[in-house]
Amino acid sequence: MIKWLFFIIIVILLGVSLGMQASADIESPRFFESVEEAEDWIDNPQNQLPIVFICDENGVVDFNNYKGNPLYDCDDYAEDYERLALKAGYIITQVPVSNGRIWGVKVTDNVVANHVGNWTKIKNTYYYVESSPSSSRWKLVKIMDAD
């Protein structure tokens, strides 16, 4: 009986210490409070992902014929951008884009097939943010009102 009581106390203490450690890092992430706040964060060069080029087996990148690389493409940019925002305390999530559109709203001219970008919510409105290199990179595009 004493062994079980000791085991239960250890488990409770371990659970409490792990829970406290996980919640002590940053405040809860939040959505942007205004378009201006989002644009300021998005436009800051420190919050922009670098363009990633992956060399061929000879260590060469053919910039004249570069078509991207499946090892690091749009979904990887979107995932890294989501992490970057979360580290800063903001909620930006991945969103699929089909033929340059989300729910019928055109968000980019550079996509003719399936794509992954990011979106965030500001007050009661969803906005698209392109995280991979393109002409619409780092700009907010209004998608829809939540209600």
Side-chain angles (χ1 to χ4, degrees):
M1 179 73 171
I2 292 178
K3 288 181 182 179
W4 280 108
L5 183 60
F6 182 73
F7 177 75
I8 291 171
I9 291 172
I10 295 289
V11 169
I12 291 172
L13 290 175
L14 182 61
V16 169
S17 70
L18 289 175
M20 289 174 56
Q21 180 182 5
S23 63
D25 293 342
I26 61 168
E27 294 179 29
S28 295
R30 64 176 179 83
F31 289 108
F32 295 97
E33 294 179 4
S34 68
V35 170
E36 294 77 23
E37 179 184 22
E39 287 175 338
D40 285 347
W41 188 83
I42 291 166
D43 289 340
N44 184 333
Q46 290 181 322
N47 301 326
Q48 297 175 4
L49 299 174
I51 297 174
V52 174
F53 294 103
I54 299 179
C55 302
D56 65 14
E57 61 276 357
N58 299 317
V60 175
V61 176
D62 183 357
F63 290 104
N64 294 321
N65 297 309
Y66 193 76
K67 295 179 174 70
N69 191 301
L71 298 176
Y72 193 92
D73 56 7
C74 61
D75 62 313
D76 301 299
Y77 280 107
E79 187 176 329
D80 286 346
Y81 201 59
E82 182 177 0
R83 281 192 203 111
L84 184 66
L86 188 59
K87 186 176 177 182
Y90 293 113
I91 300 171
I92 292 179
T93 59
Q94 299 173 52
V95 62
V97 179
S98 179
N99 295 320
R101 298 178 181 275
I102 299 173
W103 289 330
V105 176
K106 189 169 192 158
V107 295
T108 181
D109 292 325
N110 295 340
V111 178
V112 294
N114 294 328
H115 180 60
V116 178
N118 297 90
W119 67 354
T120 190
K121 185 177 173 185
I122 301 171
K123 296 191 181 191
N124 207 34
T125 304
Y126 285 94
Y127 289 86
Y128 177 76
V129 181
E130 178 60 59
S131 51
S132 60
S134 75
S135 61
S136 59
R137 191 176 189 192
W138 317 122
K139 302 298 178 198
L140 287 175
V141 178
K142 181 180 176 180
I143 302 171
M144 64 175 272
D145 292 324
D147 292 329

